[in-house]
Amino acid sequence: MKKTLLLTSLALLVSAQASAQTWVLTNAEKGTDKGDWRITSQQLNLKGAPFSIEQKVLHGGKQEGSKIITLTSENGLTIVLSPTRGMNLLHAQGFGVRLGWDSPVKEVVNPAFINLESRNGLGWLEGFNEMMVRCGYEWTGHPTTADGQLYTLHGKAGNTPASRVEVEVNESAPYEIRIRGLIKESTFKKADLQTMTELRYVPGSNSFSLHDVLTNHADYPHDYQIIYHSNFGKPILEEGARFIAPLANVSPFNDYAKGGIKTWNTYSAPTKDFDEMVFNLTPLADANQQTLAAVINKAGDKGAAIGFNVSQLPVLTMWKNTDTEKQGYVTGIEPGTSYAYPVTIEREQKRVKQLAPGASTQFDLTYTLLHSSEQVADVEKQVAAIQGDKQTQASDTPIAKE
């Protein structure tokens, strides 16, 4: 873990010292948008690992007007994200492995076609197909009605088009790429939360990072919550796949999950009539407050790992949805400030955070695509080192009731 963090710090130091070119693709304040756009390392005369960055405007069905940005590294990863859908990551792939899943929702649904309040607050599900969706920031969790309003499933950020989108490429090795998008949750008399999201990637590598800064632009304090809902299916998820993380404790989200507590960290094959099971986890961390969680295939030669800071994201949710493949065979690794209970319960449990007027907070995560048994073994060693001799306490009692 320390070696990984050191390398990341060095890469950021190099990139900070390097000159960079920046392209603004969208600027709502100026009413500008580049639409279809593309740049390549060849055009920029960069001699490192070849790459391209392309924005496309989609047409047809419910994805009419949606935009996607595809970052392609010939010797590394291809990462696809959507500025129209809160800068969510649709999928990433490389080295013969895909990070993502097969949702029944096949299109990149434009939020203009989604009513978050439909199905008693479950309208969010009508666009859910991403590898990573930001659930928040004004609120998150299961829907509930309180304070005279309906708090819809997982908030609004993931269905909010970015008001500003820009791409930055460093002109010196390692030619780090940064894709930024500004997400505004601004409502008269209610909230003015703005999040500058940023994806960072060094061409040729098997990992990328997110650096998000949330700012309260209002003159009054405001609550916030966030869950980084990160989802993985085949080829990583399969019968015999495993979830690993250094943990202080694990408990079921509800009574249904109680029935799976003995096998909570292993996965079955696609199973008809399997309802989703959710487990609440308390992660352990190293001296720098860094931790990680991963899902690994049965053979132990493929996986996805997420590194994060527990001072920023203190809780972890593990979501098992091993239903049939057509229904969406998927598992979620979800670092957050809250569990997925309704905001009313999270308030009672003192897990809802608050930002003072003008204050900011940040969230840093690193996603790594594991494509060899050696890489998987290294992650297992990092987990074991953080876990040490501490025993994970497993309870079959939910910590809260919906």
Side-chain angles (χ1 to χ4, degrees):
M1 174 68 79
K2 291 182 178 179
K3 180 180 179 181
T4 302
L5 292 174
L6 177 60
L7 291 175
T8 302
S9 299
L10 288 174
L12 295 179
L13 177 61
V14 170
S15 64
Q17 295 173 337
S19 60
Q21 289 194 53
T22 302
W23 297 264
V24 177
L25 306 188
T26 298
N27 188 329
E29 289 186 2
K30 294 184 177 180
T32 60
D33 192 289
K34 285 189 177 295
D36 291 345
W37 172 88
R38 188 171 189 265
I39 196 73
T40 69
S41 55
Q42 184 177 13
Q43 289 174 285
L44 298 173
N45 198 31
L46 302 180
K47 304 302 182 182
F51 67 84
S52 65
I53 310 166
E54 181 175 15
Q55 176 173 275
K56 282 188 177 181
V57 181
L58 305 178
H59 300 285
K62 291 185 177 182
Q63 67 182 15
E64 181 65 40
S66 288
K67 290 180 287 188
I68 60 171
I69 296 176
T70 302
L71 191 170
T72 303
S73 172
E74 288 187 16
N75 303 314
L77 301 179
T78 295
I79 305 168
V80 184
L81 56 85
S82 177
T84 315
R85 295 188 53 78
M87 303 300 288
N88 296 338
L89 305 183
L90 300 176
H91 54 83
Q93 60 188 34
F95 308 98
V97 182
R98 179 190 64 156
L99 304 183
W101 61 295
D102 295 317
S103 169
V105 179
K106 301 303 181 186
E107 298 175 357
V108 182
V109 180
N110 192 315
F113 297 103
I114 292 178
N115 176 8
L116 295 177
E117 295 189 359
S118 71
R119 303 174 187 264
N120 294 318
L122 295 176
W124 182 90
L125 296 172
E126 296 177 17
F128 178 44
N129 61 6
E130 297 96 337
M131 187 211 85
M132 191 289 298
V133 52
R134 294 173 176 87
C135 301
Y137 286 86
E138 195 175 349
W139 71 81
T140 191
H142 286 200
T144 191
T145 299
D147 313 318
Q149 75 170 81
L150 173 60
Y151 290 88
T152 57
L153 177 66
H154 287 328
K156 297 180 292 183
N159 282 277
T160 300
S163 296
R164 181 180 176 90
V165 179
E166 58 188 37
V167 173
E168 179 182 284
V169 177
N170 284 325
E171 296 177 307
S172 301
Y175 309 111
E176 184 182 60
I177 298 165
R178 300 189 180 194
I179 302 175
R180 289 185 284 266
L182 178 63
I183 306 302
K184 293 184 177 182
E185 296 176 83
S186 304
T187 305
F188 176 65
K189 300 291 282 186
K190 296 295 183 181
D192 193 5
L193 297 177
Q194 299 185 23
T195 307
M196 180 57 79
T197 71
E198 183 175 78
L199 179 145
R200 301 173 178 175
Y201 179 67
V202 174
S205 67
N206 67 325
S207 66
F208 58 89
S209 63
L210 303 179
H211 175 73
D212 296 347
V213 178
L214 170 67
T215 302
N216 179 11
H217 284 261
D219 289 329
Y220 302 95
H222 202 285
D223 292 349
Y224 72 90
Q225 296 175 275
I226 179 63
I227 296 175
Y228 285 87
H229 204 310
S230 309
N231 311 296
F232 309 100
K234 291 187 173 182
I236 297 170
L237 184 63
E238 61 182 351
E239 183 175 15
R242 298 177 292 125
F243 172 90
I244 61 170
L247 303 172
N249 54 63
V250 54
S251 63
F253 180 82
N254 53 21
D255 287 340
Y256 178 73
K258 285 171 62 175
I261 191 67
K262 291 183 179 179
T263 57
W264 74 271
N265 60 343
T266 58
Y267 297 93
S268 62
T271 306
K272 190 173 183 179
D273 296 326
F274 182 95
D275 197 2
E276 59 184 356
M277 282 189 179
V278 178
F279 298 93
N280 303 318
L281 316 175
T282 303
L284 296 168
D286 66 13
N288 296 313
Q289 300 300 296
Q290 297 292 325
T291 192
L292 76 166
V295 57
I296 297 165
N297 71 339
K298 182 178 180 179
D301 59 2
K302 296 181 180 69
I306 306 176
F308 59 99
N309 188 303
V310 298
S311 64
Q312 301 171 351
L313 301 164
V315 305
L316 181 62
T317 298
M318 188 270 221
W319 173 55
K320 295 174 76 171
N321 190 74
T322 51
D323 204 338
T324 64
E325 292 187 44
K326 287 185 178 180
Q327 290 297 109
Y329 181 64
V330 61
T331 188
I333 302 176
E334 307 173 23
T337 59
S338 297
Y339 293 120
Y341 294 107
V343 62
T344 48
I345 292 176
E346 291 301 283
R347 284 175 184 160
E348 293 171 0
Q349 298 292 322
K350 313 277 187 204
R351 285 189 289 266
V352 175
K353 308 292 185 181
Q354 190 172 79
L355 271 180
S360 297
T361 189
Q362 70 183 51
F363 309 99
D364 301 280
L365 305 93
T366 298
Y367 291 75
T368 303
L369 182 153
L370 309 173
H371 56 91
S372 71
S373 55
E374 291 79 14
Q375 292 174 358
V376 169
D378 182 60
V379 167
E380 291 179 313
K381 289 178 183 177
Q382 293 181 47
V383 168
I386 297 173
Q387 186 75 49
D389 58 2
K390 303 179 185 69
Q391 296 296 313
T392 301
Q393 300 299 313
S395 169
D396 63 0
T397 303
I399 58 177
K401 292 283 188 180
E402 284 193 88

